[in-house]
Structures are given as structure tokens and as C-alpha cells.
Amino acid sequence: MSTHDRLAARRSRVAASWLVGVVATVVAGAAHALGGGGTPSTAALATALVTSGLVGMLVVGARPSSPRILVGVAIDQAIFHGLFSFFAGAAASTTAGTAGAHAAHTAPLALATAPSTTHHVASWPMALTHVAAGAIAFLLVR
């Protein structure tokens, strides 16, 4: 294989990884909002996109396969939820009533020792929408 062929193959893999990142980010952002977490900010989406592209390049690698794509999408969804929650917590007030599904993320640090059951109940819809988003992203990029 010539140098030109290797570079073309590498560019193709990088482009595919970033395409997966765009699809996964858009689907996860919509799912996060549907799950009660609110619409992610531009900063959260940009950070998620960069992270997803890098995860895609590392996990999917040179030979994309369904299991690798599935692992990449699962990792992306976990990262997305964390990033969207972090950015929502940073922007929201510390009033638990205004934070929706992320009330525990924005509550004072003292609540970390006494977890609220409200957050766990509210997180089921969030978990389900992220699982659905992962399935949709996997099907779109497979």
C-alpha cells in the first residue's frame, strides 16, 4: 500500500469518526432534552462533539465493526450525559426546583452526603432516552 493510499484511508476513518460524532451528538442532545434535562447549551454541544469525535477515532479504529461502533456509542452516551449535566449545573441556579432532572447536580454540596430519591426517580426517563439515542445513533452509523 502506498503512502497516498494509507493517507486516504486514514482521512476516510477520521471523517467517518467525526460523522459518527455529529450524528451521536445531535441525537443525544435531543434525547437529553426529551428526558427532562433541558436543551444542552452550545458549549455543551461543542464539547460533546469534540469528545465524541475523539472517542470515535480511538474506539472504532481502523476497522469499524458493529461491536466497536456499539461500544463507541455507549461510551459517547455516558460522556454526553455527564457533559450536558455538568454544563446545565454550571448554568442553573442552585434552587433544586428549577433544575428539573438535574436537581441533584445543582444542589449544594451538603446534599452529596444525603442523596435525594427525587433525582433517581427523575433519572429513569433520562436513562431511557439516552439508551434510545444510543440505539438510534448506532443504527444511523452502522
Side-chain angles (χ1 to χ4, degrees):
M1 182 181 272
S2 71
T3 301
H4 177 69
D5 292 339
R6 284 192 304 259
L7 286 175
R10 184 174 294 158
R11 275 181 279 206
S12 176
R13 287 191 306 268
V14 169
S17 295
W18 285 96
L19 177 63
V20 170
V22 168
V23 170
T25 301
V26 170
V27 173
H32 193 81
L34 289 173
T39 305
S41 67
T42 304
L45 290 170
T47 304
L49 175 61
V50 170
T51 304
S52 179
L54 295 173
V55 166
M57 287 189 297
L58 292 172
V59 175
V60 175
R63 294 192 173 95
S65 65
S66 290
R68 285 182 180 199
I69 292 171
L70 186 61
V71 168
V73 166
I75 291 170
D76 280 345
Q77 289 301 315
I79 290 171
F80 290 153
H81 178 71
L83 286 172
F84 297 160
S85 299
F86 171 77
F87 280 98
S93 70
T94 57
T95 305
T98 63
H102 293 291
H105 296 298
T106 60
L109 187 57
L111 289 179
T113 58
S116 168
T117 57
T118 305
H119 177 69
H120 295 292
V121 171
S123 67
W124 277 108
M126 181 68 66
L128 292 175
T129 57
H130 275 292
V131 167
I136 291 167
F138 174 76
L139 292 173
L140 288 174
V141 300
R142 184 174 61 92

